[in-house]
Amino acid sequence: MFNPIFGPLKSRRFGWSLGIDVSGQAKQCNFDCLYCELTAHKPTARMQNVLPPDFLLNALKRALEKITTPLNVLTTTANGEPTLYPHLKELIIGMQALVPSGVQTLILSNGSRLGVPEVQEALMHYNMVKFSLDAVCKKVFSRVDRPHKDLSLEKILNGILDFAQKYRGFLVAEVLLVAGVNDSEAHIKDLASFLRRVPNLARVDLSTIDRPPAYKAKPLETTKLQELAAHFQDLPLSLPQRVLEQTQVQSTKEAFLELLRCRPLSVEEARCYLNIAELQELQKTGLLQIKQVGQMHFYYYT
Ligand code: SF4
């Protein structure tokens, strides 16, 4: 049976996170980004398979009862775009009753529906909202995010501004750069100008591809990323830093494979869960394999 809860996972910028996947096994997203770490899939305007909120909340309750490691955030995410989930408000209200003290609620969105009134109503209940913004020009948007045909970039940008005006929590923008696609100096300047107009922005996470992408897309060299970061210097910029504490999480091979089914894990991350001998044993079974992306190696579920 599908388990919508995954983790805890070490997130680079939010700490130890327990994830709740609202879309289920099939990818359901209104984008089909070049760099997506999930498999490529035709974008969809709405979720076709909707999990009942009770199913998600019961699974979360059971997972929280078993957790022994410290947790920083409870992350709503999806095998796709979580704001497509039609019961998001009911879900976050139910989650708030379960959140352990000191743990923040976070949602990771592609930013495409921040202007939709019912989405705004749900997002207002989150402590932290992170939205992606990879393009501010139509041509670049089509290339990098490969959106559903009904989406309008202009409406998306206005939606971000409108939501930011009303939101009182911790608002984070993530800009992911793909070499040769959205990294021209002119486009970066426009992107930074737009972000300057977003009120109450707590942080801008600038990054590049660091996980195996759905399509042939290349990460930026570190020096290039640093160079472009200069255009964001008057914004609350955060640059990527893969600093993994070698914290050991209690895990089993089965639980680890379950995690890997959701997303690839770097070799360093994987070692937080299993020791080298256990990882090698799993590799021999053929259930996982290693792939190189840029300078890093990742474990993949096969
Ligand atoms: S990266 Fe996110 S927004 Fe883009 S296709 Fe994948 S799930 Fe959708």
Side-chain angles (χ1 to χ4, degrees):
M1 179 142 160
F2 170 68
N3 179 9
I5 310 299
F6 58 96
L9 281 171
K10 176 76 176 164
S11 146
R12 280 169 287 165
R13 284 157 165 147
F14 293 99
W16 285 101
S17 154
L18 187 70
I20 177 159
D21 175 348
V22 297
S23 70
Q25 274 157 320
K27 180 173 173 181
Q28 303 191 76
C29 191
N30 51 0
F31 286 1
D32 181 27
C33 303
L34 272 183
Y35 58 79
C36 186
E37 65 189 46
L38 307 171
T39 46
H41 198 278
K42 198 170 169 230
T44 175
R46 55 186 56 83
M47 277 194 179
Q48 312 292 335
N49 304 310
V50 179
L51 296 167
D54 279 355
F55 166 76
L56 296 170
L57 290 168
N58 287 334
L60 177 63
K61 194 166 177 232
R62 283 195 301 274
L64 285 170
E65 280 163 3
K66 281 194 225 145
I67 280 197
T68 51
T69 44
L71 207 57
N72 303 107
V73 285
L74 204 52
T75 307
T76 304
T77 176
N79 200 353
E81 169 52 27
T83 63
L84 289 176
Y85 184 59
H87 309 297
L88 195 59
K89 185 174 170 190
E90 188 181 340
L91 180 73
I92 177 61
I93 290 174
M95 278 166 67
Q96 281 171 326
L98 303 175
V99 183
S101 118
V103 176
Q104 303 269 295
T105 52
L106 163 71
I107 184 164
L108 307 178
S109 166
N110 64 15
S112 60
R113 290 167 51 81
L114 263 52
V116 177
E118 56 269 30
V119 171
Q120 291 192 348
E121 269 186 44
L123 297 189
M124 293 299 168
H125 293 269
Y126 280 88
N127 298 121
M128 299 189 274
V129 172
K130 180 164 113 162
F131 69 92
S132 297
L133 183 72
D134 304 322
V136 288
C137 133
K138 217 172 147 190
K139 203 167 151 199
V140 179
F141 177 53
S142 300
R143 279 189 72 199
V144 67
D145 292 334
R146 304 163 52 85
H148 186 272
K149 61 175 177 41
D150 295 345
L151 288 172
S152 134
L153 179 63
E154 196 188 341
K155 278 193 187 156
I156 290 175
L157 297 177
N158 286 333
I160 290 171
L161 293 173
D162 183 55
F163 174 71
Q165 190 66 48
K166 299 169 184 164
Y167 184 61
R168 291 292 164 263
F170 192 84
L171 185 63
V172 181
E174 175 168 32
V175 177
L176 190 141
L177 300 178
V178 179
V181 179
N182 61 346
D183 62 339
S184 76
E185 200 164 348
H187 182 248
I188 295 297
K189 280 184 183 170
D190 290 345
L191 229 155
S193 299
F194 174 78
L195 288 174
R196 276 182 209 109
R197 292 171 49 212
V198 179
N200 311 314
L201 199 53
R203 205 173 76 200
V204 177
D205 292 351
L206 186 65
S207 59
T208 187
I209 299 172
D210 68 352
R211 292 184 184 280
Y215 293 93
K216 279 188 186 162
K218 291 212 172 103
L220 263 66
E221 300 286 339
T222 307
T223 45
K224 170 92 179 183
L225 197 63
Q226 281 166 339
E227 205 181 294
L228 293 175
H231 295 292
F232 296 81
Q233 60 190 194
D234 52 339
L235 286 158
L237 183 66
S238 154
L239 279 169
Q241 219 171 2
R242 192 171 279 274
V243 184
L244 280 168
E245 295 162 14
Q246 288 305 305
T247 312
Q248 210 57 39
V249 176
Q250 269 188 340
S251 188
T252 59
K253 286 181 192 163
E254 290 69 26
F256 175 76
L257 286 173
E258 197 62 37
L259 259 184
L260 211 59
R261 229 193 266 265
C262 299
R263 54 168 250 190
L265 289 171
S266 73
V267 169
E268 291 83 357
E269 284 169 316
R271 285 182 191 159
C272 293
Y273 298 88
L274 297 180
N275 63 37
I276 296 174
E278 288 171 316
L279 288 166
Q280 283 172 343
E281 272 171 39
L282 279 181
Q283 219 177 326
K284 278 186 207 154
T285 64
L287 285 171
L288 56 84
Q289 59 172 307
I290 292 186
K291 283 187 193 174
Q292 184 169 357
V293 182
Q295 299 301 308
M296 297 187 63
H297 290 84
F298 287 81
Y299 281 105
Y300 257 84
Y301 185 83
T302 45

